Amino acid sequence: GVENLVNCQANGNDNTCQAQIAVDRFDKNLPINVTLPESTQPVSFNLAALTPPPQEGLTKQQRRQFSKAHAILMILGWLFFVPTGFLFARLGKDLFKEQTLFGMAVWFQIHRAANFMGVVCICTSMLCIFI
């Protein structure tokens, strides 16, 4: 029942007119009537026709978070866990000759755990970037 008038001035010779309305204050099914200066009949439409369709998939913020998770997991996997596993396999045999953990050599347990964590980080990172 309320009528809101919006005045619009023509822009030069191209006969275009721009008006800004805060559409978040109104119902999406609110009918809008636009009367052009050359016309006697108003053009009618609703706010739903002006709003863009909802975005499908992830938002920009979610994509950014997945990209950051991808980077962090790749750095952890390739620059921490894999080299740690390699170094314990290469040098740990001499450092932990007689020590065992759960019935196996300590160097092998650390080597296996570090490489396993590296593979988990890298696989999860790939999953993050493909999502």
Side-chain angles (χ1 to χ4, degrees):
V2 177
E3 188 172 302
N4 292 313
L5 296 176
V6 177
N7 190 12
C8 184
Q9 299 296 324
N11 296 331
N13 296 332
D14 60 359
N15 291 331
T16 61
C17 180
Q18 295 180 357
Q20 292 184 357
I21 302 171
V23 295
D24 56 340
R25 296 184 350 201
F26 302 106
D27 181 30
K28 297 288 184 213
N29 296 320
L30 177 73
I32 297 175
N33 296 316
V34 176
T35 306
L36 301 173
E38 301 86 25
S39 169
T40 57
Q41 295 294 328
V43 178
S44 183
F45 55 91
N46 60 22
L47 285 177
L50 295 177
T51 57
Q55 181 183 2
E56 294 184 22
L58 300 175
T59 64
K60 189 174 185 177
Q61 181 65 24
Q62 289 171 326
R63 286 193 311 267
R64 184 174 291 129
Q65 288 174 342
F66 274 112
S67 292
K68 286 179 183 179
H70 166 76
I72 290 168
L73 288 170
M74 278 292 189
I75 289 170
L76 278 174
W78 285 113
L79 298 180
F80 179 72
F81 288 119
V82 171
T84 300
F86 169 77
L87 288 174
F88 270 91
R90 183 83 170 149
L91 305 172
K93 292 177 192 176
D94 297 332
L95 294 174
F96 304 102
K97 285 183 182 180
E98 304 299 324
Q99 297 170 339
T100 61
L101 180 66
F102 301 117
M104 297 185 82
V106 170
W107 72 266
F108 182 73
Q109 294 283 31
I110 295 173
H111 161 75
R112 184 169 55 181
N115 280 330
F116 176 76
M117 289 303 298
V119 169
V120 168
C121 285
I122 293 165
C123 290
T124 307
S125 171
M126 294 302 289
L127 183 66
C128 285
I129 204 65
F130 284 124
I131 288 177

